[in-house]
């Protein structure tokens, strides 16, 4: 009898919550999937499935510019919303979703810090280490790694007929390059995965960890059920990763003490952050914060740059006219590969920048929806008042494929970014909706470095090699649009979106019989 009463009471409670959320809740008037309007299980399901960005596109196609995808969550698709939610004056802060990272990480990194004042303190310090001036200092280390990376494609063991190499999975290859690059950038030493790819295994574990973390962020109660431990081993993966970075960080600290004593040049991000922790005039990072921050940088910097470059290559190779135009630009701008570094000549490569921007627009690497919580007093988005406490956001794929801002939004067209007198307004409208790095005070602090890496990598790759894409067994005869659809069906959105491929063969490019790479 008592059990019956308990069950009835629970059912009555659940029913009243459902009725409230569907009819009386302040967001009840907004459309969205029934399950999403009732419970965050909807988001958890898509986070675990890894198709969250695809689902957001489908939801906006079905319901329009505003979608209620969680009981207390709204997704928007306009430039007005982008500014109101993420802009410099926005009355929002990072949502509680970000707090859940501290369930797994001992100290909140800048990315996981939700308090606005604390976030801006950390961000100011981080920005010093990632300034344009410092980026030039780190570039030398990166170019050395890039040379080792490029050599892999002409290794005699990987050669087949006609001077072509075997096919390489560029998602994997670029992951090795960028993992090592982040080691050198953050800690002044490569992780050595280009020599021993097993050393990058930890990146896949961390991504799986993030899949669980992404889900738990939507329903923190799941952390207590320990479901993530069974399914995605989030705690273990993140801990393993933290320990890995912490041991390197500790080694760095020892080296730093010697460097500071001997007045040596500060040459990696860790050096700069450590030096600020010693300064009496600013509240620098504490040692635990320093460890947490460097762990964050390696994770945020590896998968994003590697995945974006792989996406850009995928689009270029499926649009032969684009890769021809880009290759011509690179090979006519530079006369030898050693000239390809940040400077006037690289900056003059306008088509290169357009190809990168277009790749990031069409295939943004950050999936899902970056949630911000509305502050006291609410905000107005496109004329609608959204009350305090609601989680709001603009999914990258939704806004950057919105036909209101981009003609033929599903097509890869670098030309759309090339300004001319007759299309200045179009370029301006496209720019306003362009947000692969996020915007405002919580946007990407590593953007300058990411762009340097991407420009130099693409330019050196196309200068030195001719490239040929190898179709997989299920890809024969498909159009570029169909290939993109297939790639996205196979992708995984674990906060950052990952893919396989493109699979590419390489051949040393020649000019007058001489190999270009040796020029
Ligand atoms: C193509 C490459 C990249 C893309 C598209 C990208 C994109 C983004 C985006 C969209 C955010 C906002 C995330 C959020 O609100 O949750 C972000 C934040 C961040 N990114 Fe990047 N990122 C890239 C590369 C990098 C690199 C190379 C680094 C490190 C050097 C980096 C460091 C960070 C950090 C530290 C944050 C947190 C900023 C904060 O909370 O204030 N990113 N990035």
């Amino acid at each position: 009898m008592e059990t019956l009463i308990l069950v009835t009471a629970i059912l009555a409670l659940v029913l009243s919550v459902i009725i409230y959320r569907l009819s009386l809740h302040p967001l009840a008037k907004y459309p969205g999937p029934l399950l999403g309007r009732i419970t965050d299980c909807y988001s958890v399901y898509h986070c675990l499935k890894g198709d969250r960005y695809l689902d957001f596109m489908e939801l906006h196609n079905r319901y329009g510019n505003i979608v209620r995808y969680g009981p207390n969550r709204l997704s928007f698709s306009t430039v007005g919303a982008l500014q109101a939610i993420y802009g410099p004056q926005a009355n929002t802060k990072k949502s509680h979703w970000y707090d859940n990272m501290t369930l797994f990480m001992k100290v909140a990194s800048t990315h996981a810090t939700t308090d606005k004042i604390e976030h801006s303190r950390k961000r100011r310090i981080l920005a010093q280490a990632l300034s344009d001036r410092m980026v030039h200092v780190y570039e030398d280390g990166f170019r050395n790694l890039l040379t080792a990376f490029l050599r892999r494609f002409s290794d005699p063991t990987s050669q087949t007929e006609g001077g072509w190499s075997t096919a390489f999975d560029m998602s994997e290859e670029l992951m090795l390059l960028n993992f090592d690059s982040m080691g050198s950038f953050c800690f002044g030493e490569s992780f050595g995965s280009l020599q021993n790819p097993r050393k990058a295994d930890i990146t896949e574990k961390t991504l799986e960890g993030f899949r669980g973390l992404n889900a738990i962020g939507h329903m923190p109660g799941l952390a207590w059920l320990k479901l993530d431990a069974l399914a995605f081993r989030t705690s273990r993966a993140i801990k393993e990763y933290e320990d890995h970075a912490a041991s390197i960080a500790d080694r760095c600290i020892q080296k730093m003490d010697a460097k500071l004593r001997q007045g040596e040049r500060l040459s990696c991000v860790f050096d700069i952050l450590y030096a600020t922790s010693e300064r009496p005039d600013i509240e620098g990072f504490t040692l635990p914060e320093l460890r947490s921050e460097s762990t964050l940088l390696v994770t945020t910097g590896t998968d994003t740059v590697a995945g974006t470059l792989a996406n850009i290559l995928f689009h270029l190779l499926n649009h032969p006219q684009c890769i021809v135009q880009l290759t011509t630009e690179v090979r006519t701008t530079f006369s030898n590969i050693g000239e390809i570094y940040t400077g006037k000549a690289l900056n003059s490569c306008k088509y290169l920048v357009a190809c990168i921007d277009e790749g990031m627009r069409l295939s943004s690497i950050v999936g899902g929806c970056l949630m911000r919580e509305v502050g006291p007093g609410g905000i107005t988005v496109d004329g609608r008042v959204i009350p305090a406490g609601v989680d709001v956001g603009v999914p990258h794929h939704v806004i950057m494929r919105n036909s209101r801002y981009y003609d033929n939004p599903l097509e890869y067209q670098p030309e759309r970014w090339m300004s001319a007198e007759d299309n200045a307004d179009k370029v301006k409208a496209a720019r306003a909706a362009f947000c692969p790095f996020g915007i405002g005070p919580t946007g990407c602090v590593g953007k300058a470095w990411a762009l340097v890496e991407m420009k130099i990598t693409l330019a050196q790759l196309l200068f030195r090699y001719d490239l040929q894409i190898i179709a997989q067994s299920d890809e024969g005869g498909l159009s570029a649009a169909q290939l993109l659809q297939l790639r996205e069906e196979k992708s995984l959105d674990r906060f950052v979106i990952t893919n396989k491929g493109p699979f590419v063969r390489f051949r040393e490019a020649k000019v007058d019989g001489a190999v270009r790479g040796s020029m």
Side-chain angles (χ1 to χ4, degrees):
M1 184 64 183
E2 276 171 10
T3 319
L4 187 66
I5 293 174
L6 188 67
V7 171
T8 315
I10 292 173
L11 281 178
L13 183 68
V14 170
L15 201 64
S16 50
V17 169
I18 292 176
I19 292 171
Y20 168 74
R21 289 183 172 174
L22 289 180
S23 53
L24 301 168
H25 191 283
L27 304 186
K29 57 178 177 276
Y30 295 108
L34 182 64
L35 187 63
R37 283 154 57 216
I38 294 173
T39 164
D40 283 314
C41 287
Y42 179 84
S43 292
V44 170
Y45 168 75
H46 286 290
C47 289
L48 295 184
K49 195 172 170 213
D51 71 346
R52 207 149 173 259
Y53 78 108
L54 297 174
D55 185 58
F56 271 117
M57 288 193 284
E58 207 176 303
L59 290 179
H60 278 277
N61 275 343
R62 199 176 323 147
Y63 298 107
N65 284 339
I66 310 179
V67 178
R68 184 183 179 207
Y69 66 97
N72 206 32
R73 300 195 155 116
L74 291 177
S75 169
F76 296 83
S77 66
T78 61
V79 166
L82 198 61
Q83 285 301 332
I85 294 170
Y86 305 98
Q89 308 304 329
N91 176 24
T92 58
K93 64 175 190 126
K94 289 195 177 193
S95 124
H96 285 298
W97 178 90
Y98 291 85
D99 283 335
N100 286 289
M101 288 196 213
T102 50
L103 285 174
F104 302 97
M105 294 176 182
K106 290 171 210 108
V107 178
S109 63
T110 305
H111 185 228
T113 301
T114 52
D115 179 82
K116 268 179 142 172
I117 295 174
E118 186 59 2
H119 175 267
S120 93
R121 173 186 78 88
K122 293 184 178 178
R123 171 111 186 178
R124 269 199 306 275
I125 304 171
L126 209 50
Q128 293 185 19
L130 299 173
S131 66
D132 287 355
R133 189 176 67 80
M134 285 315 298
V135 158
H136 290 301
V137 174
Y138 312 136
E139 196 179 314
D140 284 350
F142 177 67
R143 288 197 359 247
N144 288 338
L145 285 170
L146 187 55
T147 306
F149 170 76
L150 293 179
R151 221 179 282 131
R152 291 167 72 81
F153 309 124
S154 54
D155 187 299
T157 56
S158 70
Q159 298 304 298
T160 59
E161 77 289 354
W164 286 101
S165 71
T166 48
F168 288 85
D169 176 344
M170 292 312 286
S171 287
E172 267 175 27
E173 292 297 315
L174 288 159
M175 186 69 96
L176 301 182
L177 168 67
N178 286 290
F179 187 51
D180 283 359
S181 149
M182 287 316 286
S184 153
F185 173 81
C186 286
F187 304 116
E189 54 181 86
S190 154
F191 291 132
S193 69
L194 281 170
Q195 288 72 32
N196 176 5
R198 294 296 308 270
K199 293 205 169 158
D201 285 355
I202 200 149
T203 54
E204 175 54 28
K205 282 192 202 164
T206 317
L207 281 164
E208 268 305 90
F210 260 84
R211 181 182 342 209
L213 200 144
N214 197 5
I216 291 162
H218 290 86
M219 279 185 100
L222 290 178
W224 304 113
L225 293 177
K226 304 278 178 210
L227 287 183
D228 70 292
L230 292 176
F232 298 104
R233 301 186 176 85
T234 301
S235 331
R236 202 178 334 145
I238 305 273
K239 166 131 191 22
E240 207 177 308
Y241 185 69
E242 257 192 318
D243 289 348
H244 174 77
S247 71
I248 301 170
D250 289 345
R251 218 167 46 238
C252 264
I253 290 170
Q254 286 160 12
K255 279 200 280 181
M256 259 312 276
D257 285 333
K259 269 191 191 175
L260 287 176
R261 269 197 312 275
Q262 290 155 14
E264 274 182 39
R265 192 175 81 130
L266 305 179
S267 55
C268 64
V269 171
F270 195 91
D271 285 358
I272 311 287
L273 298 184
Y274 186 84
T276 58
S277 73
E278 299 277 288
R279 276 173 54 178
D281 55 327
I282 44 176
E283 196 192 336
F285 284 136
T286 60
L287 280 186
E289 282 177 339
L290 201 54
R291 286 197 189 94
S292 161
E293 218 55 56
S294 17
T295 315
L296 157 83
L297 285 175
V298 177
T299 30
T300 48
T302 301
D303 315 317
T304 46
V305 176
T308 301
L309 277 170
N311 286 340
I312 295 168
L313 277 181
F314 166 85
H315 289 300
L316 284 172
L317 286 158
N318 286 312
H319 292 83
Q321 76 286 6
C322 297
I323 200 158
V324 167
Q325 188 170 339
L326 180 56
T327 306
T328 306
E329 180 179 84
V330 170
R331 292 183 186 171
T332 51
T333 306
F334 302 99
S335 50
N336 78 64
I337 200 161
E339 290 171 356
I340 304 180
Y341 51 81
T342 306
K344 227 173 160 182
L346 195 62
N347 287 343
S348 74
C349 293
K350 302 285 182 234
Y351 195 67
L352 172 67
V353 175
C355 288
I356 294 175
D357 283 355
E358 182 64 350
M360 289 200 291
R361 176 196 73 79
L362 185 51
S363 297
S364 178
I365 198 71
V366 175
C369 178
L370 303 173
M371 292 182 287
R372 301 292 180 262
E373 183 185 309
V374 176
I379 57 171
T380 303
V381 182
D382 296 336
R384 290 190 165 78
V385 177
I386 310 296
V390 172
D391 272 351
V392 287
V394 179
H396 284 190
H397 292 78
V398 172
I399 186 161
M400 289 194 281
R401 293 182 180 192
N402 188 335
S403 55
R404 195 198 284 198
Y405 311 117
Y406 303 98
D407 293 340
N408 305 316
L410 295 179
E411 285 177 21
Y412 182 76
Q413 295 178 347
E415 299 70 29
R416 73 170 85 243
W417 299 106
M418 310 285 280
S419 220
E421 257 175 39
D422 60 341
N423 73 347
D425 286 347
K426 275 200 167 151
V427 176
K428 200 170 159 207
R431 279 270 158 234
F434 186 64
C435 58
F437 289 104
I439 65 161
T442 54
C444 183
V445 70
K447 178 177 167 183
W449 176 243
L451 288 171
V452 164
E453 279 187 301
M454 293 195 291
K455 282 193 216 169
I456 300 181
T457 306
L458 276 176
Q460 290 209 6
L461 197 64
L462 294 181
F463 183 88
R464 176 161 176 182
Y465 290 109
D466 296 327
L467 278 62
Q468 193 180 60
I469 192 163
I470 303 299
Q472 299 304 287
S473 55
D474 51 353
E475 294 175 349
L478 297 185
S479 68
Q482 288 166 324
L483 286 168
L484 177 60
Q485 194 184 347
L486 189 63
R487 182 171 170 82
E488 294 188 340
E489 280 164 12
K490 292 182 192 166
S491 67
L492 268 183
D493 177 355
R494 297 177 284 192
F495 189 74
V496 166
I497 299 166
T498 49
N499 282 290
K500 283 207 164 306
F503 294 84
V504 182
R505 298 208 296 169
F506 296 85
R507 187 176 61 187
E508 291 271 15
K510 294 193 176 144
V511 54
D512 298 333
V515 167
R516 271 188 177 276
S518 62
M519 293 168 75

